[in-house]
Amino acid sequence: MFRHVVCFRLKAEEKGKAAEAREKLLSLTAISEVRNIEVGLDSLKSPRSYDVILIADFDNMDDYKIYDTHELHQPVRRFMHSIVETSVSVDYSIE
């Protein structure tokens, strides 16, 4: 299995769009290569917190690459880029 994890910190003026971001990210389950998607919104609101987390699982890295370039992913990516101040990611294989 291959896991894709991204934490998003939204721009100050876009913080109100966290729930919309969650819904758009969850819509990516329509891509057949996606095995599971979990999206969480930050509860603590600490200074070091990120606002949204995406955890997506795939059978393998090749399926992730299909997802990454999939036509359904592109508008979600554009939306996220428009509201995100910064993001961090970790991608790894699960034995």
Side-chain angles (χ1 to χ4, degrees), residues 20-58:
E20 182 180 359
R22 181 179 187 275
E23 293 308 311
K24 288 183 182 292
L25 291 167
L26 287 171
S27 76
L28 296 173
T29 58
I31 300 171
S32 63
E33 286 75 16
V34 173
R35 291 294 157 245
N36 185 55
I37 283 186
E38 182 178 340
V39 180
L41 303 181
D42 180 57
S43 296
L44 294 181
K45 312 289 188 226
S46 77
R48 62 179 256 184
S49 292
Y50 280 69
D51 300 297
V52 181
I53 186 168
L54 165 71
I55 303 168
D57 292 332
F58 306 87

Side-chain angles (χ1 to χ4, degrees), residues 1-6 53-61 64 89-95:
M1 184 179 298
F2 187 77
R3 181 164 284 163
H4 173 61
V5 179
V6 186
I53 186 168
L54 165 71
I55 303 168
D57 292 332
F58 306 87
D59 285 341
N60 52 55
M61 191 184 305
Y64 164 76
S89 66
V90 177
D91 300 282
Y92 58 96
S93 294
I94 300 172
E95 301 301 321

